[in-house]
Each structure stands twice: as C-alpha cells, then as structure tokens.
Coordinates of all heavy atoms in Angstrom, one line a residue:
M1 N -18.3 89.2 -22.2 CA -18.8 88.0 -21.3 C -17.6 87.6 -20.4 O -16.5 87.3 -21.0 CB -19.3 86.9 -22.2 CG -19.9 85.8 -21.4 SD -20.4 84.3 -22.3 CE -22.1 84.9 -22.9
T2 N -17.8 87.6 -19.1 CA -16.8 87.2 -18.3 C -16.5 85.7 -18.3 O -17.5 84.9 -18.8 CB -17.1 87.6 -16.8 OG1 -18.3 86.9 -16.4 CG2 -17.2 89.1 -16.7
L3 N -15.5 85.2 -17.8 CA -15.1 83.7 -17.8 C -16.1 82.9 -17.0 O -16.6 81.9 -17.5 CB -13.7 83.6 -17.3 CG -13.1 82.2 -17.7 CD1 -13.1 82.0 -19.2 CD2 -11.7 82.1 -17.1
P4 N -16.5 83.3 -15.8 CA -17.5 82.5 -15.0 C -18.9 82.5 -15.7 O -19.5 81.5 -15.8 CB -17.7 83.3 -13.7 CG -16.3 83.9 -13.5 CD -15.9 84.4 -14.8
A5 N -19.2 83.7 -16.4 CA -20.5 83.7 -17.1 C -20.5 82.7 -18.4 O -21.4 82.0 -18.7 CB -20.9 85.0 -17.5
F6 N -19.3 82.7 -19.0 CA -19.1 81.8 -20.2 C -19.3 80.3 -19.7 O -19.9 79.6 -20.4 CB -17.7 82.1 -20.8 CG -17.4 81.1 -21.8 CD1 -18.0 81.1 -23.1 CD2 -16.5 80.0 -21.6 CE1 -17.8 80.1 -24.1 CE2 -16.3 79.1 -22.6 CZ -16.9 79.2 -23.8
F7 N -18.6 80.0 -18.6 CA -18.7 78.6 -18.1 C -20.1 78.2 -17.7 O -20.6 77.1 -17.9 CB -17.7 78.3 -17.0 CG -16.3 78.1 -17.5 CD1 -15.3 78.9 -17.2 CD2 -16.0 76.9 -18.3 CE1 -14.0 78.7 -17.7 CE2 -14.8 76.7 -18.7 CZ -13.7 77.6 -18.5
A8 N -20.8 79.2 -17.0 CA -22.2 79.0 -16.7 C -23.1 78.7 -17.9 O -23.9 77.9 -17.9 CB -22.8 80.1 -15.8
F9 N -22.8 79.5 -18.9 CA -23.6 79.4 -20.2 C -23.3 78.1 -20.8 O -24.2 77.4 -21.3 CB -23.2 80.5 -21.2 CG -23.9 80.4 -22.5 CD1 -25.3 80.7 -22.6 CD2 -23.3 80.0 -23.6 CE1 -25.9 80.5 -23.8 CE2 -23.8 79.8 -24.7 CZ -25.2 80.1 -24.9
A10 N -21.9 77.6 -20.9 CA -21.6 76.4 -21.5 C -22.1 75.2 -20.8 O -22.6 74.2 -21.4 CB -20.0 76.3 -21.5
I11 N -22.1 75.3 -19.4 CA -22.7 74.1 -18.6 C -24.2 74.0 -18.9 O -24.8 72.9 -19.0 CB -22.4 74.3 -17.1 CG1 -20.8 74.0 -17.0 CG2 -23.1 73.3 -16.3 CD1 -20.3 74.4 -15.6
T12 N -24.9 75.2 -18.9 CA -26.3 75.2 -19.1 C -26.7 74.7 -20.5 O -27.6 73.8 -20.6 CB -26.9 76.7 -18.9 OG1 -26.5 77.1 -17.6 CG2 -28.3 76.6 -19.1
A13 N -25.9 75.1 -21.5 CA -26.1 74.6 -22.8 C -25.9 73.1 -23.0 O -26.7 72.4 -23.6 CB -25.2 75.3 -23.8
A14 N -24.9 72.6 -22.2 CA -24.6 71.1 -22.3 C -25.7 70.3 -21.6 O -26.1 69.3 -22.1 CB -23.3 70.8 -21.6
L15 N -26.3 70.9 -20.5 CA -27.4 70.2 -19.8 C -28.6 70.2 -20.6 O -29.4 69.2 -20.7 CB -27.6 70.9 -18.4 CG -26.5 70.6 -17.4 CD1 -26.8 71.4 -16.1 CD2 -26.5 69.1 -17.0
V16 N -28.9 71.3 -21.2 CA -30.1 71.4 -22.1 C -30.0 70.4 -23.3 O -30.9 69.7 -23.7 CB -30.3 72.8 -22.6 CG1 -31.4 72.8 -23.7 CG2 -30.7 73.7 -21.4
A17 N -28.7 70.3 -23.9 CA -28.5 69.4 -25.0 C -28.7 67.9 -24.6 O -29.3 67.1 -25.2 CB -27.2 69.6 -25.6
A18 N -28.2 67.6 -23.4 CA -28.3 66.2 -22.8 C -29.7 66.0 -22.6 O -30.1 64.8 -22.9 CB -27.4 66.0 -21.6
G19 N -30.5 66.9 -22.0 CA -31.9 66.6 -21.7 C -32.7 66.5 -23.0 O -33.5 65.6 -23.0
A20 N -32.4 67.2 -24.0 CA -33.2 67.1 -25.2 C -32.8 65.8 -25.9 O -33.6 65.1 -26.4 CB -32.8 68.2 -26.2
G21 N -31.5 65.3 -25.8 CA -31.1 64.0 -26.4 C -31.8 62.9 -25.6 O -32.3 61.9 -26.3
A22 N -31.9 63.0 -24.3 CA -32.5 61.9 -23.6 C -34.0 61.8 -23.9 O -34.6 60.8 -24.0 CB -32.3 62.2 -22.1
W23 N -34.7 63.0 -24.0 CA -36.1 63.1 -24.3 C -36.4 62.5 -25.8 O -37.4 61.7 -25.9 CB -36.5 64.6 -24.3 CG -38.0 64.7 -24.6 CD1 -39.0 64.3 -23.8 CD2 -38.5 65.3 -25.7 NE1 -40.1 64.6 -24.4 CE2 -40.0 65.2 -25.6 CE3 -38.0 65.8 -26.9 CZ2 -40.9 65.7 -26.6 CZ3 -38.9 66.4 -27.8 CH2 -40.3 66.2 -27.7
I24 N -35.5 62.8 -26.7 CA -35.8 62.3 -28.1 C -35.5 60.8 -28.0 O -36.3 60.0 -28.6 CB -34.7 62.9 -29.0 CG1 -35.2 64.4 -29.2 CG2 -34.7 62.2 -30.3 CD1 -34.2 65.3 -30.0
H25 N -34.5 60.3 -27.3 CA -34.2 58.8 -27.2 C -35.5 58.2 -26.5 O -35.8 57.1 -27.0 CB -33.0 58.6 -26.3 CG -32.5 57.2 -26.2 ND1 -32.1 56.5 -27.2 CD2 -32.7 56.4 -25.2 CE1 -31.9 55.3 -26.7 NE2 -32.3 55.2 -25.4
T26 N -36.0 58.7 -25.5 CA -37.1 58.2 -24.8 C -38.4 58.1 -25.7 O -39.1 57.0 -25.7 CB -37.5 59.0 -23.6 OG1 -36.3 59.1 -22.7 CG2 -38.6 58.4 -22.8
I27 N -38.6 59.1 -26.5 CA -39.8 59.0 -27.4 C -39.6 58.0 -28.4 O -40.5 57.2 -28.8 CB -39.8 60.5 -28.1 CG1 -40.2 61.5 -27.1 CG2 -40.8 60.4 -29.2 CD1 -41.5 61.5 -26.5
G28 N -38.4 57.8 -28.9 CA -38.1 56.7 -29.9 C -38.3 55.3 -29.3 O -38.9 54.5 -29.9
R29 N -37.8 55.1 -28.1 CA -38.0 53.8 -27.4 C -39.5 53.5 -27.2 O -39.9 52.4 -27.3 CB -37.2 53.8 -26.2 CG -35.7 53.9 -26.3 CD -34.9 52.7 -26.8 NE -35.3 51.7 -25.9 CZ -34.7 50.5 -25.9 NH1 -33.9 50.2 -26.9 NH2 -34.9 49.6 -25.0
K30 N -40.1 54.6 -26.8 CA -41.6 54.4 -26.5 C -42.3 53.9 -27.7 O -43.1 53.1 -27.6 CB -42.1 55.6 -25.9 CG -43.6 55.5 -25.5 CD -44.1 56.8 -24.9 CE -45.6 56.7 -24.6 NZ -46.2 58.0 -24.3
H31 N -42.0 54.5 -28.8 CA -42.7 54.2 -30.1 C -42.4 52.8 -30.4 O -43.3 52.0 -30.9 CB -42.2 55.2 -31.2 CG -42.9 55.0 -32.5 ND1 -44.2 55.3 -32.7 CD2 -42.4 54.5 -33.6 CE1 -44.5 55.0 -33.9 NE2 -43.6 54.5 -34.5
I32 N -41.2 52.3 -30.3 CA -40.8 50.9 -30.6 C -41.5 49.9 -29.7 O -42.0 48.9 -30.1 CB -39.3 50.8 -30.5 CG1 -38.6 51.5 -31.6 CG2 -38.9 49.3 -30.6 CD1 -37.1 51.6 -31.5
R33 N -41.6 50.3 -28.4 CA -42.3 49.4 -27.4 C -43.7 49.3 -27.7 O -44.2 48.2 -27.7 CB -42.0 50.0 -26.0 CG -40.9 49.5 -25.3 CD -41.0 49.7 -23.8 NE -41.5 51.0 -23.4 CZ -40.7 52.1 -23.2 NH1 -39.4 52.0 -23.3 NH2 -41.3 53.2 -22.9
E34 N -44.4 50.4 -28.0 CA -45.8 50.4 -28.3 C -46.1 49.5 -29.5 O -47.0 48.8 -29.6 CB -46.3 51.8 -28.5 CG -46.5 52.5 -27.1 CD -47.0 53.9 -27.3 OE1 -47.2 54.4 -28.5 OE2 -47.3 54.6 -26.3
H35 N -45.2 49.7 -30.6 CA -45.4 48.9 -31.7 C -45.2 47.4 -31.5 O -46.1 46.6 -31.9 CB -44.4 49.4 -32.8 CG -44.5 48.6 -34.1 ND1 -45.6 48.6 -35.0 CD2 -43.7 47.6 -34.5 CE1 -45.4 47.8 -35.9 NE2 -44.2 47.1 -35.7
L36 N -44.2 47.1 -30.7 CA -44.0 45.7 -30.4 C -45.1 45.1 -29.6 O -45.6 44.0 -29.7 CB -42.7 45.6 -29.5 CG -42.3 44.1 -29.2 CD1 -42.0 43.3 -30.3 CD2 -41.1 44.1 -28.3
A37 N -45.6 45.9 -28.5 CA -46.7 45.4 -27.7 C -48.0 45.2 -28.5 O -48.8 44.3 -28.3 CB -46.9 46.4 -26.6
K38 N -48.3 46.1 -29.4 CA -49.5 46.0 -30.2 C -49.4 44.9 -31.3 O -50.4 44.3 -31.7 CB -49.8 47.3 -30.9 CG -50.3 48.4 -30.1 CD -50.6 49.7 -30.7 CE -51.1 50.7 -29.8 NZ -51.3 52.0 -30.4
S39 N -48.2 44.6 -31.7 CA -48.0 43.6 -32.8 C -47.7 42.2 -32.4 O -47.9 41.3 -33.2 CB -47.0 44.1 -33.8 OG -45.7 44.1 -33.1
S40 N -47.3 42.0 -31.1 CA -46.9 40.6 -30.6 C -47.2 40.3 -29.3 O -46.5 39.5 -28.6 CB -45.4 40.5 -30.9 OG -44.7 41.5 -30.1
T41 N -48.4 40.8 -28.7 CA -48.8 40.4 -27.4 C -49.9 39.4 -27.4 O -50.8 39.5 -28.3 CB -49.3 41.7 -26.7 OG1 -48.3 42.7 -26.7 CG2 -49.7 41.5 -25.3
F42 N -49.7 38.4 -26.6 CA -50.6 37.3 -26.5 C -51.2 37.2 -25.1 O -50.5 37.5 -24.1 CB -50.0 35.9 -26.9 CG -49.5 36.0 -28.4 CD1 -48.3 36.5 -28.7 CD2 -50.3 35.5 -29.4 CE1 -47.9 36.5 -30.0 CE2 -49.9 35.5 -30.7 CZ -48.6 36.0 -31.0
H43 N -52.4 36.7 -24.9 CA -53.0 36.4 -23.6 C -53.4 34.9 -23.6 O -54.2 34.5 -24.5 CB -54.2 37.3 -23.4 CG -54.9 37.0 -22.1 ND1 -56.2 36.5 -22.1 CD2 -54.5 37.0 -20.8 CE1 -56.6 36.2 -20.9 NE2 -55.6 36.5 -20.1
C44 N -52.9 34.2 -22.6 CA -53.2 32.7 -22.5 C -54.6 32.6 -22.0 O -54.9 33.0 -20.9 CB -52.2 32.1 -21.7 SG -52.4 30.3 -21.7
L45 N -55.4 31.8 -22.7 CA -56.8 31.6 -22.2 C -56.9 30.5 -21.0 O -57.7 30.4 -20.3 CB -57.8 31.2 -23.4 CG -57.9 32.2 -24.4 CD1 -58.6 31.6 -25.6 CD2 -58.6 33.4 -23.8
R46 N -55.8 29.7 -21.1 CA -55.8 28.6 -20.0 C -55.2 29.1 -18.7 O -55.8 28.8 -17.7 CB -54.8 27.4 -20.6 CG -54.9 26.3 -19.6 CD -54.1 25.1 -20.2 NE -54.6 24.4 -21.3 CZ -54.0 23.6 -22.0 NH1 -52.7 23.3 -21.8 NH2 -54.6 22.9 -23.0
C47 N -54.0 29.8 -18.7 CA -53.3 30.0 -17.5 C -53.4 31.6 -17.2 O -52.8 32.0 -16.2 CB -51.9 29.6 -17.4 SG -50.8 30.4 -18.5
D48 N -54.0 32.4 -18.0 CA -54.3 33.8 -17.8 C -52.9 34.7 -17.8 O -52.9 35.6 -17.1 CB -55.0 34.0 -16.5 CG -55.8 35.4 -16.5 OD1 -56.1 35.8 -17.6 OD2 -55.9 36.0 -15.5
S49 N -51.8 34.2 -18.4 CA -50.6 35.0 -18.4 C -50.6 35.7 -19.7 O -51.2 35.4 -20.7 CB -49.4 34.0 -18.3 OG -49.4 33.2 -19.5
V50 N -49.9 36.9 -19.7 CA -49.7 37.8 -20.8 C -48.2 37.6 -21.3 O -47.3 37.7 -20.4 CB -50.0 39.2 -20.5 CG1 -49.7 40.1 -21.7 CG2 -51.5 39.3 -20.2
Y51 N -48.0 37.4 -22.5 CA -46.6 37.2 -23.0 C -46.4 37.7 -24.4 O -47.4 38.1 -25.1 CB -46.2 35.7 -22.9 CG -47.1 34.9 -23.8 CD1 -46.7 34.4 -25.1 CD2 -48.3 34.3 -23.3 CE1 -47.4 33.6 -25.8 CE2 -49.1 33.5 -24.1 CZ -48.7 33.2 -25.3 OH -49.5 32.3 -26.1
T52 N -45.2 37.9 -24.8 CA -44.9 38.4 -26.2 C -44.2 37.4 -26.9 O -43.5 36.4 -26.3 CB -44.0 39.7 -26.2 OG1 -42.9 39.4 -25.5 CG2 -44.8 40.8 -25.5
S53 N -44.2 37.4 -28.2 CA -43.6 36.5 -29.2 C -43.1 37.2 -30.4 O -43.7 38.1 -30.9 CB -44.6 35.3 -29.6 OG -43.9 34.5 -30.5
S54 N -41.9 36.8 -30.8 CA -41.3 37.5 -31.9 C -41.8 36.9 -33.2 O -41.4 37.3 -34.3 CB -39.8 37.5 -31.8 OG -39.4 36.1 -31.8
E55 N -42.6 35.8 -33.1 CA -43.1 35.2 -34.3 C -44.2 36.1 -35.0 O -44.9 36.8 -34.3 CB -43.8 33.8 -33.9 CG -42.8 32.8 -33.3 CD -43.5 31.6 -32.8 OE1 -44.7 31.4 -33.1 OE2 -43.0 31.0 -32.0
S56 N -44.2 36.0 -36.2 CA -45.1 36.9 -36.9 C -46.5 36.2 -37.3 O -47.3 36.8 -37.9 CB -44.5 37.4 -38.3 OG -44.3 36.2 -39.1
D57 N -46.6 35.0 -36.7 CA -47.8 34.3 -36.9 C -49.0 34.9 -36.1 O -48.7 35.7 -35.2 CB -47.7 32.8 -36.5 CG -46.7 32.1 -37.4 OD1 -46.5 32.6 -38.5 OD2 -46.2 31.1 -37.0
L58 N -50.2 34.5 -36.4 CA -51.4 35.0 -35.6 C -51.5 34.2 -34.3 O -52.3 34.6 -33.4 CB -52.6 34.9 -36.3 CG -52.7 35.9 -37.5 CD1 -54.0 35.6 -38.3 CD2 -52.7 37.4 -37.0
T59 N -50.8 33.1 -34.1 CA -50.8 32.3 -32.9 C -49.4 32.1 -32.4 O -48.5 32.1 -33.1 CB -51.5 30.9 -33.2 OG1 -50.7 30.2 -34.1 CG2 -53.0 31.1 -33.7
A60 N -49.4 31.8 -31.0 CA -48.1 31.6 -30.4 C -48.3 30.7 -29.2 O -49.3 30.8 -28.6 CB -47.4 32.8 -30.0
V61 N -47.4 29.8 -28.9 CA -47.5 28.9 -27.8 C -47.1 29.6 -26.5 O -46.1 30.3 -26.4 CB -46.6 27.7 -28.0 CG1 -46.6 26.7 -26.8 CG2 -47.0 26.9 -29.3
C62 N -48.0 29.4 -25.5 CA -47.7 30.0 -24.1 C -46.4 29.4 -23.6 O -46.3 28.2 -23.5 CB -48.9 29.8 -23.3 SG -48.7 30.3 -21.6
P63 N -45.6 30.2 -23.0 CA -44.3 29.7 -22.5 C -44.5 28.9 -21.1 O -43.7 28.2 -20.7 CB -43.5 30.9 -22.3 CG -44.3 32.0 -22.3 CD -45.5 31.7 -23.1
K64 N -45.7 29.2 -20.5 CA -45.9 28.6 -19.2 C -46.6 27.2 -19.3 O -46.2 26.3 -18.6 CB -46.7 29.5 -18.3 CG -46.0 30.7 -17.7 CD -46.8 31.4 -16.7 CE -46.1 32.6 -16.1 NZ -46.9 33.4 -15.2
C65 N -47.7 27.2 -20.1 CA -48.5 26.0 -20.2 C -48.5 25.3 -21.5 O -48.9 24.2 -21.6 CB -49.9 26.3 -19.8 SG -50.8 27.3 -20.8
G66 N -48.0 26.0 -22.5 CA -47.9 25.3 -23.8 C -49.2 25.4 -24.7 O -49.3 24.9 -25.8
Y67 N -50.2 26.2 -24.1 CA -51.5 26.3 -24.9 C -51.2 27.3 -26.1 O -50.5 28.3 -25.9 CB -52.6 26.8 -23.9 CG -53.9 26.9 -24.6 CD1 -54.6 25.7 -24.7 CD2 -54.5 28.1 -25.0 CE1 -55.9 25.8 -25.3 CE2 -55.8 28.2 -25.5 CZ -56.4 26.9 -25.6 OH -57.7 27.0 -26.2
K68 N -51.8 27.0 -27.2 CA -51.7 27.9 -28.4 C -52.8 29.0 -28.3 O -53.9 28.7 -28.4 CB -51.8 27.1 -29.7 CG -51.2 27.8 -30.8 CD -51.0 26.7 -32.0 CE -50.2 27.4 -33.1 NZ -50.1 26.3 -34.2
N69 N -52.3 30.2 -28.3 CA -53.2 31.4 -28.2 C -53.2 32.3 -29.5 O -52.2 32.4 -30.2 CB -52.9 32.2 -27.0 CG -53.1 31.4 -25.7 OD1 -54.2 31.2 -25.3 ND2 -52.0 31.1 -25.2
T70 N -54.2 33.0 -29.6 CA -54.2 34.0 -30.8 C -53.8 35.3 -30.3 O -53.8 35.7 -29.1 CB -55.6 34.2 -31.4 OG1 -56.5 34.5 -30.4 CG2 -56.1 32.8 -32.0
K71 N -53.3 36.2 -31.2 CA -52.8 37.5 -30.9 C -53.9 38.4 -30.3 O -55.0 38.4 -30.7 CB -52.2 38.1 -32.1 CG -51.3 39.3 -31.9 CD -50.8 39.8 -33.3 CE -49.7 38.8 -33.8 NZ -48.9 39.3 -34.9
L72 N -53.5 39.3 -29.4 CA -54.4 40.2 -28.9 C -54.7 41.3 -29.9 O -53.8 41.7 -30.6 CB -53.9 40.9 -27.6 CG -54.0 40.0 -26.3 CD1 -53.3 40.9 -25.2 CD2 -55.4 39.7 -26.0
K73 N -55.9 41.8 -30.0 CA -56.2 42.9 -30.9 C -56.5 44.2 -30.1 O -57.3 44.2 -29.1 CB -57.3 42.5 -31.8 CG -57.0 41.3 -32.7 CD -58.2 40.9 -33.6 CE -57.8 39.8 -34.4 NZ -58.8 39.0 -34.8
F74 N -55.9 45.3 -30.5 CA -56.2 46.5 -29.8 C -56.9 47.5 -30.7 O -56.9 47.4 -31.9 CB -54.8 47.2 -29.5 CG -54.0 46.5 -28.5 CD1 -53.1 45.5 -28.9 CD2 -54.3 46.6 -27.1 CE1 -52.3 44.9 -27.9 CE2 -53.6 45.9 -26.2 CZ -52.6 45.0 -26.6
Ligands
ZN101 ZN1 -50.7 29.5 -20.6

C-alpha cells in the first residue's frame, strides 16, 4: 500500500467512525427526548399552550397562566 493510499484509507476510516459515532449519539438523544415528551408533556386548557414539567405528578401548573393541568396521554 502506497503512502497516499494509506492516508486516503485512514481519512475515510476516521470519517466513517465519526459518522457512526454521531448517528449513535443522535439515536440516544432521540430516545431520551421521546421518553421525556411522553412522560412530562402538559397542555393548558385555559391558554392552549404546551409545556413540560420535571415534576412526577399527574398535574402541573401552567407557566403562562397558572392553571393546573393534567398530563397528556399518548
Ligand atoms: Zn395556561
């Protein structure tokens, strides 16, 4: 294997590894986001806003109007 071919192979391997790493990272983040959205998303019945809350209760107070809403079910 010549030196330019070796560098071309090394650069290609590095790009493929970086792409695979970014893809795996994206899949993991998407899974976390979907779990958070399904477990802590609320819709305000008074002002029609959608918000999230880190509270584990079934209800959360709307940050805009203060109305207490129940968790969305998917
Ligand atoms: Zn509201």
Side-chain angles (χ1 to χ4, degrees):
M1 182 181 281
T2 62
L3 195 60
F6 172 75
F7 279 114
F9 177 76
I11 289 171
T12 302
L15 288 175
V16 168
W23 181 69
I24 290 170
H25 180 74
T26 302
I27 295 294
R29 298 280 301 184
K30 182 181 175 187
H31 184 71
I32 292 170
R33 268 197 318 270
E34 285 180 352
H35 175 71
L36 181 66
K38 286 180 181 176
S39 63
S40 61
T41 304
F42 297 85
H43 173 245
C44 183
L45 297 174
R46 183 183 287 169
C47 70
D48 203 33
S49 66
V50 176
Y51 59 98
T52 59
S53 174
S54 59
E55 299 171 16
S56 60
D57 296 339
L58 292 175
T59 59
V61 175
C62 175
K64 286 187 178 178
C65 68
Y67 188 75
K68 197 169 191 177
N69 297 286
T70 57
K71 192 179 289 187
L72 284 178
K73 293 177 182 159
F74 294 94

